Amino acid sequence: MNEIPDIVAALQAGRAVDAERLCRDSLQRFPGDTDTLLLLALALGAQGRQEEAVAVHARLTELLPDSPLHWGNYATMLREAGRLDEAAVACDTALRLAPDDAAQWVNRGMLQLEQKNFEDARDALLRAVELDPRSPETIVRAARACAICRDYRAEELIRPWREWLPLEDDLQLELADLHQSLGDGRTAQILLEDLCARSPRNVPAAVLLAGVYERVNDLDAAQSLQESLLRHPGALSAANLQDLTHLRATMATRRGDATLARGILEQAGPRNPGDYAHYFDLAGVCDRLNDNAAAMRALDMAHRLQVDELRQTVPHRFEPGAPILPAAVGRVSAEDYLKWPQLLAPAGVESPVFIVGFPRSGTTLLEQMLDAHPSLQSMDERPFFNVLANRLDDDGISVPRDLHRLDQHACDELRKDYLQLVCTKIARRWDTQLVDKNPLNMLWLPLIHRIFPRAKFILALRHPCDVLISNYMQNYKASVLAAACASLPQLAAAYVTAMECWLHHVEVFKPDLLVSRYEELVADPEAHAHRIAEFLGVRDPSPMLRFDQHARDKGYIATPSYTQVIQPVNRKGLDRWKRYQGEFSAVLPVLVPMLRHWGYAGEPGA
């Protein structure tokens, strides 16, 4: 069998046709040689002849019925040929023969992704990581499945990405795309710039990098790379062209030309049948053009498509009786709070400042104002308390019901865990006070209070109807927000639920709290900055007023309002909801308790 090295060399050189010829010549003399049959299958697969390759892999399973390798290869080729049910049978056989083989669990997970069994796929790929924790490819596959399922473990899995470099081009591209989808544009930029430097003809990487440049507010780089790519249209696939076309629309919007952006989007159409992002973008430009009816039509389509996807990726969100905001279900009563043991805890100045409020209430604006002050340091929005609550749940402690069980050691360890999570996202400047902005941390007040009982809170408040219409126009990645925004009535119920939870626990814990009204902030930014500075005990609030320049210098801001907070304070967002007043007939009655509580106009008949 001295042909084997020649066959392997031909495959490695990309000469699949030559490899096939050598295999067939050898098999005429040794028709049952399994090594040569395997190489023939690989040569056929490399030529895109999946059905012929399937037949060869099937023959290998007949010759070696106890080989998990051949059953796994057979399953892979069946999957690539689109024969998913048969692939599942082959996968099951491979796993029965080798239940601790990570490669077979990867195979199972990839098949389940194609079958749209997303949660099963995630579990299979996480099992593969347990069995092979050093394989970047396995980890990236598992992280992708977690991201699809909106599972917080995605970020944790890919945290050691620097240790893996350099990766094969396709894997590094996938890792960059994953970071981008998880809201880490800076890492995506690093990975893509490295990949493009090594492989300058990698068009998909360059297309993705152009989009990343826009996302990190480097518009000149985005424009330059986009124009460079479009000068060679023959090198672009149909998918590449669609992505660049949508980027052109985004860039037109950023330049203030909503008419051009709308024309580009309407001509291009969605990138695929489930492309709800296209309709969110279209709704945004129609809103800018005051074409309210067209904006609502686009939003209706966007949310319907997004909910269709969510029903597959996070089906538990749509089970009968599923809470609209799971973190808002539990309540700590005043009587429960009295049972909490008194523990040592950091002083207020040693604790983070927490900016909370329902999303789109001005939390990012407040964060950028505080981060612009030299004595304060913020970080991009992260669900750290969701992560801590999940870890506690793994230890049998339910939040908030069992918080009284946390002793001094447990709370000290939680503070350490929290700070470790923080330090994975920012280079902590220890001479500053940390600012933690995450709107729905308002639902985690009991856990935050248990860990940082002397922390200061700033509640961002804005007219509930403006909050609702702004949220309804957002393409949220977080499943809890995406599901809550499925309709305006659903969104109104989520808003009231969140506020009721917050107000209940404010009454119980009585945190050190400042309420920041968006309307007052935009009316008199200087007075508002002085008020915030006095509350936090910081000197000279003037740096806060230069937040827009500070935000531009930062580049990447991981919130939907990343294009807005690099601009000075303006009044564009005030009373926006009144343009859509007809859509609020079923919403205003739900909001009445909060409109009254916060003193906002808008009640039915008012």
Side-chain angles (χ1 to χ4, degrees), residues 299-361:
L299 286 170
D300 179 66
M301 177 62 76
H303 286 289
R304 282 197 284 118
L305 292 174
Q306 189 174 50
V307 167
D308 287 344
E309 179 183 279
L310 290 170
R311 287 185 182 279
Q312 292 182 318
T313 57
V314 283
H316 60 278
R317 297 274 183 216
F318 299 90
E319 292 174 356
I324 192 167
L325 294 174
V329 172
R331 295 285 195 279
V332 176
S333 68
E335 294 76 15
D336 294 332
Y337 183 41
L338 291 174
K339 299 174 185 176
W340 286 18
Q342 295 296 310
L343 305 174
L344 296 174
V349 294
E350 298 168 336
S351 303
V353 176
F354 292 97
I355 299 176
V356 299
F358 204 82
R360 309 299 295 166
S361 296

Side-chain angles (χ1 to χ4, degrees), residues 419-474:
L419 290 174
Q420 285 176 351
L421 289 169
V422 169
C423 291
T424 65
K425 297 303 173 189
I426 57 171
R428 186 75 177 94
R429 304 196 314 269
W430 298 104
D431 60 339
T432 62
Q433 188 170 9
L434 182 68
V435 177
D436 186 336
K437 186 274 293 188
N438 188 321
L440 288 184
N441 272 349
M442 65 190 301
L443 306 180
W444 295 108
L445 180 54
L447 178 57
I448 297 173
H449 185 77
R450 177 73 286 189
I451 303 174
F452 298 107
R454 297 180 180 87
K456 291 179 182 288
F457 288 80
I458 300 178
L459 174 71
L461 195 65
R462 184 183 179 192
H463 193 297
C465 294
D466 275 335
V467 170
L468 260 60
I469 196 63
S470 185
N471 273 282
Y472 192 58
M473 291 191 174
Q474 301 308 311

Side-chain angles (χ1 to χ4, degrees), residues 1-268:
M1 297 303 297
N2 54 7
E3 296 93 342
I4 294 292
D6 293 336
I7 299 170
V8 171
L11 284 170
Q12 291 176 338
R15 294 185 288 107
V17 174
D18 290 340
E20 178 192 354
R21 177 179 52 77
L22 290 169
C23 286
R24 294 196 185 281
D25 289 346
S26 179
L27 287 168
Q28 285 183 352
R29 298 190 301 277
F30 308 99
D33 184 75
T34 55
D35 289 339
T36 308
L37 283 169
L38 176 58
L39 292 171
L40 174 61
L42 295 176
L44 292 168
Q47 297 175 66
R49 293 155 63 185
Q50 279 90 355
E51 288 297 340
E52 294 175 71
V54 164
V56 178
H57 282 299
R59 174 61 177 156
L60 284 165
T61 63
E62 293 169 2
L63 293 170
L64 295 170
D66 295 326
S67 168
L69 171 66
H70 291 307
W71 280 105
N73 289 337
Y74 183 36
T76 299
M77 193 53 62
L78 284 166
R79 171 166 58 83
E80 292 180 2
R83 294 159 61 176
L84 302 187
D85 291 341
E86 295 170 81
V89 173
C91 257
D92 289 342
T93 304
L95 280 169
R96 177 175 54 78
L97 293 167
D100 294 327
D101 185 341
Q104 304 310 330
W105 283 103
V106 170
N107 213 5
R108 163 68 68 83
M110 298 305 290
L111 172 62
Q112 289 168 326
L113 283 175
E114 287 207 29
Q115 293 174 316
K116 301 190 183 301
N117 297 330
F118 296 110
E119 292 184 335
D120 289 341
R122 174 200 60 193
D123 295 343
L125 290 163
L126 288 173
R127 174 61 178 151
V129 172
E130 289 178 10
L131 293 166
D132 187 9
R134 296 182 180 275
S135 167
E137 183 173 2
T138 301
I139 294 169
V140 171
R141 299 281 186 269
R144 172 68 73 183
C146 286
I148 290 171
C149 295
R150 273 71 167 184
D151 187 317
Y152 297 122
R153 286 174 288 187
E155 290 189 24
E156 295 184 29
L157 284 166
I158 58 176
R159 189 169 296 150
W161 63 270
R162 289 184 183 274
E163 302 170 12
W164 305 336
L165 300 183
L167 295 167
E168 292 184 4
D169 287 7
D170 287 348
L171 186 59
Q172 188 154 327
L173 177 60
E174 183 174 359
L175 180 61
D177 183 57
L178 181 56
H179 275 287
Q180 169 77 338
S181 69
L182 291 172
D184 190 350
R186 283 301 185 199
T187 298
Q189 180 180 347
I190 292 168
L191 288 164
L192 290 168
E193 287 179 341
D194 173 72
L195 178 53
C196 289
R198 289 191 286 110
S199 303
R201 295 184 180 180
N202 191 321
V203 173
V207 171
L208 183 57
L209 180 58
V212 168
Y213 281 143
E214 183 278 325
R215 188 61 183 81
V216 301
N217 287 314
D218 191 345
L219 302 187
D220 290 341
Q223 184 74 28
S224 175
L225 184 51
Q226 174 187 257
E227 291 173 354
S228 173
L229 287 162
L230 289 172
R231 282 196 291 269
H232 306 282
L236 300 170
S237 69
N240 296 152
L241 283 168
Q242 275 281 55
D243 286 341
L244 288 173
T245 299
H246 280 76
L247 178 59
R248 280 182 56 227
T250 300
M251 296 293 288
T253 303
R254 298 292 300 267
R255 292 192 298 267
D257 193 341
T259 301
L260 175 61
R262 180 177 183 174
I264 293 170
L265 288 171
E266 289 181 337
Q267 182 175 4

